[in-house]
């Protein structure tokens, strides 16, 4: 079942001062299925963040359409339902957190939905438990680490119980430990709660567990496939200004040196297994 569907979707930024136009998304046709984990890749300026904002009607199409279930994002009477369905987590959590305490921030969405106090309390408690921040509920957000702030932002989205969470470069400002923790939580939400995840990122190692990868270049879709299908085309990926997971790159260099190894290795664990298998025959 598709949850987000676009057809010939285009969006152009207009610079009034310079009297210029810049097409950020160009005739994108794409379907996101319920329960999928989809990673969207592309170099800076490829249209990734613009596409994310089009998914939940922060931006509206110039041409084409976006449907969230049966809701047309261009229909202003549907905006509330669309934004309850598709939650956004942005790059900088400081731009998303508005409460004076963690629990107050997480409660903001349910309060604006007009929920009863008891249900709001339950939503806040449940969301903080999922992201591992229950013991920090009374803290002021500025006292949190970057990773904890991003988990607070995710909890705030979870509290409105969306069907889709779009992460727009949500780990790019975090250290490796913080990125790993956020991705652990996101994968758990996808696998255990059935929440559809759209992860817009430039960090290749975050994408290896995706169901599909979508690569944008100059606003257009250049490639769609599973991680194994996409990342075995190393030279094509590099031509688009991107890289591949580190272990995939290592095995690519080994093949260039004439060593017969798999071309679809995505994780260190797979790499170790492959090398062990090779050593059996040495």
């Amino acid at each position: 079942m598709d949850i987000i569907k676009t057809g010939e979707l285009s969006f152009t930024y207009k610079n009034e001062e310079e009297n210029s136009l810049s097409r950020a998304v160009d005739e994108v046709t794409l379907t996101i299925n319920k329960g999928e984990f989809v990673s969207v890749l592309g170099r800076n300026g490829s249209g990734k963040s613009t596409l994310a904002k089009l998914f939940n009607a922060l931006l509206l199409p110039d041409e084409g359409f976006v449907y969230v279930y049966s809701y047309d994002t261009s229909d202003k009477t549907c905006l509330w339902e669309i934004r309850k369905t598709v939650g956004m987590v942005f790059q900088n959590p400081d731009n998303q957190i508005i409460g004076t305490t963690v629990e107050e921030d997480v409660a903001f969405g349910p309060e604006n939905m007009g929920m009863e106090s008891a249900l709001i309390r339950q939503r806040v408690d449940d969301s903080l438990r999922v992201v591992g921040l229950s013991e920090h509920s009374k803290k002021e957000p500025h006292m949190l680490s970057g990773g904890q702030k991003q988990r607070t932002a995710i909890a705030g989205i979870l509290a409105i119980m969306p069907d889709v969470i779009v992460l727009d470069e949500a780990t790019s400002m975090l250290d490796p430990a913080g990125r790993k923790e956020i991705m652990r939580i996101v994968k758990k939400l996808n696998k255990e709660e059935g929440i559809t995840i759209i992860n817009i990122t430039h960090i290749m190692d975050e994408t290896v567990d995706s169901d599909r990868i979508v690569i944008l270049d100059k606003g257009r879709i250049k490639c769609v496939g599973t991680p194994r299908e996409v990342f075995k085309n190393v030279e094509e990926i590099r031509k688009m200004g991107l890289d591949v997971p580190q272990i995939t790159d290592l095995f690519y260099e080994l093949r260039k040196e004439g060593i017969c190894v798999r071309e679809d290795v995505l994780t260190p664990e797979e790499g170790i297994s492959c090398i062990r298998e090779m050593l059996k025959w040495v």
Side-chain angles (χ1 to χ4, degrees), residues 149-162:
K149 287 180 180 179
Q150 200 60 287
R151 282 191 275 161
T152 300
I154 292 173
I157 297 300
L158 284 178
I160 63 173
M161 298 185 70

Side-chain angles (χ1 to χ4, degrees), residues 25-227:
V25 172
D26 192 6
E27 297 185 350
V28 167
T29 296
L30 179 67
T31 297
I32 306 294
N33 297 312
K34 188 171 178 61
E36 267 196 306
F37 192 120
V38 178
S39 292
V40 180
L41 306 178
R43 58 185 155 188
N44 291 340
S46 63
K48 303 188 304 296
S49 292
T50 302
L51 185 62
K53 293 171 184 175
L54 286 161
F55 282 157
N56 87 329
L58 288 175
L59 296 175
L60 301 180
D62 291 328
E63 300 173 23
F65 64 83
V66 181
Y67 280 98
V68 176
Y69 288 133
S70 61
Y71 302 114
D72 186 341
T73 62
S74 294
D75 184 349
K76 293 183 179 179
T77 66
C78 298
L79 292 184
W80 184 242
E81 292 299 326
I82 289 166
R83 290 175 183 166
K84 282 197 299 182
T85 303
V86 182
M88 297 280 296
V89 180
F90 296 101
Q91 183 179 50
N92 187 348
D94 289 328
N95 294 335
Q96 193 163 353
I97 295 174
I98 59 175
T100 57
T101 65
V102 169
E103 64 180 4
E104 181 182 302
D105 186 79
V106 176
F108 179 80
E111 286 174 348
N112 277 272
M113 293 170 66
M115 292 183 189
E116 295 180 358
S117 297
L119 182 55
I120 292 172
R121 181 73 264 169
Q122 180 183 336
R123 291 279 185 92
V124 171
D125 290 345
D126 289 347
S127 299
L128 289 175
R129 175 182 48 77
V130 168
V131 302
L133 286 179
S134 297
E135 62 186 36
H136 299 283
S137 63
K138 304 294 184 182
K139 286 187 177 179
E140 298 175 20
H142 70 83
M143 298 175 63
L144 303 177
S145 68
Q148 289 170 333
K149 287 180 180 179
Q150 200 60 287
R151 282 191 275 161
T152 300
I154 292 173
I157 297 300
L158 284 178
I160 63 173
M161 298 185 70
D163 290 347
V164 183
I165 295 179
V166 180
L167 297 105
D168 186 9
E169 303 277 10
T171 66
S172 63
M173 297 179 66
L174 304 179
D175 60 23
R179 289 199 297 269
K180 185 175 181 180
E181 178 63 12
I182 292 300
M183 292 311 298
R184 182 192 68 79
I185 291 169
V186 168
K187 290 173 186 176
K188 183 177 180 181
L189 292 172
N190 177 245
K191 298 301 182 186
E192 297 184 10
E193 305 295 332
I195 295 175
T196 303
I197 301 294
I198 302 172
N199 185 31
I200 294 171
T201 183
H202 64 272
I203 301 170
M204 299 300 132
D205 289 306
E206 288 185 358
T207 70
V208 296
D209 293 326
S210 305
D211 295 309
R212 284 189 296 157
I213 289 174
V214 177
I215 296 181
L216 292 180
D217 187 43
K218 298 179 181 178
R220 287 179 171 265
I221 291 179
K222 290 296 183 180
C223 180
V224 180
T226 67

Side-chain angles (χ1 to χ4, degrees), residues 208 210 213 225-233 262-267 270:
V208 296
S210 305
I213 289 174
T226 67
R228 293 195 194 282
E229 291 169 341
V230 169
F231 286 133
K232 69 181 181 181
N233 301 310
R262 285 170 49 188
E263 64 179 7
D264 63 347
V265 171
L266 296 176
T267 67
E270 289 181 352

